[in-house]
Amino acid sequence: MNPKIARFLAQVPATPCLVLDVDRVEENFRALRKALPLAQIYYAVKANPAAPILDRLVGLGSSFDAASFEEVQSCLDAGASPDSISFGNTIKKVSAIARAYEKGVSMFAFDSEEELEKLARHAPGSRVYCRILVENEGADWPLSRKFGTTIESARDLMVRAGEMGLDPFGLSFHVGSQQTTTSSYEAAISKVGMLFTDLRDAGINLRMLNLGGGFPVRYRDDVPSIDDFGIAIMHAMTKCFGNALPDMLIEPGRFIVADAGVVCAEVVLVSRRDKNDDTRWVYLDIGRFGGLAETEGESIKYRITTPHDGGEVGRVAIAGPTCDGADIMYEKANYRLPLALTSGDRIELHATGAYVTTYASQRFNGFAPLEEHYV
Ligand SMILES: *Cc1c(COP(=O)(O)O)cnc(C)c1O
C-alpha cells in the first residue's frame, strides 16, 4: 500500500473512511500529460470534487469539466479561471447556464436542438461543442444511450449554432468509463473526423475535438497502460487529420483520482446461510449506499486486502450494512477472502478515490456518510 495512506491508517481512524493521497493525484496528472502532451486536460470534477484535489490540479495548470453550476463554483473557489472551465453536461437547467455564463464560463456542451436554444438565449456568443453518440463497448461502466447525437443531426445542429450567434467550436464523445480497449478511441476519432471535413464544406471550421474521459485504472484486472492509450489516440488523430490537428481536449475523471484513494472498512458480520454452505456472507460497514454504487451489476470490482492475507481463503459474497436487499456488492464475481476473517477486522478496498464519496447516500438507515481524509 501507498506509505502515506498506510501511515494514516495506522492511527486507526473511524470507519468507513476514504484516505486519499493528493501527491498520487499529481503523479497521475503528470503521467497523462506525458502520454498525451498535445491534449489539454479538463479534469472531470464529478469523479471527486474535494477541494484539496481541485487546489492541486489548479496549481498544475489543469482545466475542468463541470457537470453542474455547483461544480463550476467549486472550481472557481479553488482558483480556476472561468475560461479553464467547460460546462460539459448536455442536460443543464436554464438557471445553471445563466449563472455559469455570468461567472465568465464560455464553453458549453450540447447534443440537442432545445439545449442549443437555451444556450443561444442564456449564454449568447459562447463556444459550443456537440456530443456525438459512440460505441461504449469495452467499457466496464458504459454511459449508454443517455448522451450524444448522430453524425447527421450533429451536422445540422452545428450549422444551426452558427445561425443562432453561437460559436460552433468543436465536437466531443465519451467512449464509456473504465474503457479497457484503445480501439474504442480510434473508432470514435475516425467517426467524428469525417464530420470535420463535412462541416468545412458547409463553411464551418471546427477547431476542437474533445475526446472525453474513460481512461481505465487497475482494479482486480490488468488494463492497458496510459501510454498505450496515448499512442493509439495520436496514431488515429494523425491518420484522420494529418498535420492539421484540431485542439485536443481530454476529460479524465477516474484515471486522475481512483488509485490515489483507499477505503478502510470494518467487517460487521461473517455468516453462512446454512452450516454446510461453502459461501460465507461478509457484511461491511460500507455498501452500495455508503458510496460503493459502482458495484451495481458487479461492474467495478475493487481489490480487497485484509489482515489475514496469505492464509487459507474461501468463497464469499460481500454486502453492505443496510436493511436493503439491493445492498449487495459482490455475489457472482468470485471473491475469495481468508477463512480467518471475522467481525471487527478492518479491511481495505483499493482504488476507491473516484466515484465513491459523492455517491454516498444521505444517512440511509441512519448511517453516517463516509469520512474523507486527504493526505
Ligand atoms: C463522467 C464524465 C467524464 C469522466 O469520465 P471518466 O471515465 O471518469 O474519465 C468525462 N466527460 C464527461 C462528459 C463525463 O460525463
Side-chain angles (χ1 to χ4, degrees):
M1 199 188 326
N2 171 316
K4 263 169 87 187
I5 295 179
R7 227 175 298 136
F8 189 89
L9 288 177
Q11 301 164 27
V12 199
T15 67
C17 67
L18 170 75
V19 189
L20 187 143
D21 176 5
V22 183
D23 292 334
R24 178 72 196 185
V25 171
E26 174 164 346
E27 285 167 27
N28 291 338
F29 181 90
R30 290 186 187 282
L32 184 53
R33 189 154 64 182
K34 186 154 166 282
L36 273 169
L38 294 181
Q40 177 64 21
I41 298 175
Y42 282 66
Y43 171 61
V45 177
K46 72 175 193 284
N48 189 325
I53 293 173
L54 300 183
D55 290 348
R56 179 68 66 98
L57 290 173
V58 167
L60 291 166
S62 184
S63 298
F64 297 91
D65 170 54
S68 63
F69 176 74
E70 288 78 355
E71 284 191 356
V72 168
Q73 188 63 59
S74 301
C75 295
L76 295 172
D77 291 347
S81 81
D83 60 13
S84 72
I85 300 171
S86 166
F87 203 152
N89 194 339
T90 54
I91 305 156
K92 298 174 284 301
K93 283 166 88 165
V94 159
S95 56
I97 295 171
R99 291 167 80 192
Y101 181 72
E102 191 188 290
K103 296 279 185 183
V105 173
S106 66
M107 186 172 14
F108 296 85
F110 74 96
D111 64 6
S112 67
E113 175 142 22
E114 187 166 301
E115 191 73 8
L116 202 52
E117 284 162 3
K118 282 151 66 179
L119 290 168
R121 192 163 323 129
H122 301 281
S126 292
R127 291 171 296 160
V128 294
Y129 61 92
C130 186
R131 181 157 168 182
I132 311 290
L133 180 64
V134 297
E135 287 298 329
N136 273 200
E137 207 179 301
D140 288 344
W141 192 255
L143 301 169
S144 73
R145 298 183 55 77
K146 182 170 174 184
F147 311 100
T149 187
T150 62
I151 291 284
E152 297 70 39
S153 88
R155 184 188 180 283
D156 296 345
L157 289 170
M158 290 306 271
V159 172
R160 283 282 291 139
E163 292 165 0
M164 289 176 177
L166 292 162
D167 177 1
F169 181 54
L171 301 174
S172 75
F173 59 75
H174 196 303
V175 293
S177 200
Q178 185 66 7
Q179 173 55 259
T180 58
T181 71
T182 54
S183 58
S184 56
Y185 290 91
E186 297 171 291
I189 289 166
S190 74
K191 180 173 181 178
V192 302
M194 287 185 278
L195 187 50
F196 273 71
T197 318
D198 243 30
L199 279 165
R200 191 173 320 119
D201 296 342
I204 294 178
N205 247 320
L206 300 182
R207 287 111 71 205
M208 184 278 281
L209 179 57
N210 179 337
L211 306 152
F215 306 103
V217 299
R218 189 177 199 293
Y219 290 109
R220 272 199 330 189
D221 301 324
D222 253 334
V223 294
S225 75
I226 198 61
D227 291 332
D228 292 342
F229 284 91
I231 290 163
I233 286 172
M234 285 321 297
H235 184 255
M237 288 297 291
T238 309
K239 195 163 131 197
C240 199
F241 296 98
N243 46 24
L245 288 183
D247 288 350
M248 291 170 61
L249 267 59
I250 49 176
E251 300 173 329
R254 189 184 303 278
F255 181 81
I256 300 290
V257 289
D259 73 359
V262 171
V263 162
C264 182
E266 182 180 318
V267 175
V268 180
L269 177 70
V270 181
S271 72
R272 292 178 203 266
R273 294 270 89 88
D274 177 275
K275 65 179 187 304
N276 299 319
D277 201 338
D278 66 353
T279 298
R280 289 164 301 146
W281 280 75
V282 175
Y283 301 90
L284 305 178
D285 62 357
I286 184 171
R288 186 76 69 73
F289 300 97
L292 303 179
E294 288 197 320
T295 57
E296 169 140 17
E298 313 200 14
S299 305
I300 299 294
K301 298 177 193 70
Y302 297 112
R303 190 168 67 83
I304 297 175
T305 52
T306 79
H308 309 289
D309 289 354
E312 200 186 339
V313 297
R315 270 184 62 83
V316 290
I318 306 174
T322 67
C323 300
D324 189 307
D327 192 7
I328 298 171
M329 279 94 77
Y330 304 116
E331 217 182 333
K332 304 187 183 77
N334 196 27
Y335 272 82
R336 301 170 73 79
L337 290 178
L339 296 176
L341 196 69
T342 185
S343 57
D345 284 341
R346 294 162 76 91
I347 65 149
E348 296 86 32
L349 296 116
H350 296 268
T352 37
Y355 304 116
V356 172
T357 56
T358 46
Y359 264 136
S361 66
Q362 294 289 320
R363 296 196 172 269
F364 181 49
N365 281 222
F367 293 113
L370 183 67
E371 296 270 357
E372 300 172 46
H373 308 283
Y374 295 88
V375 298

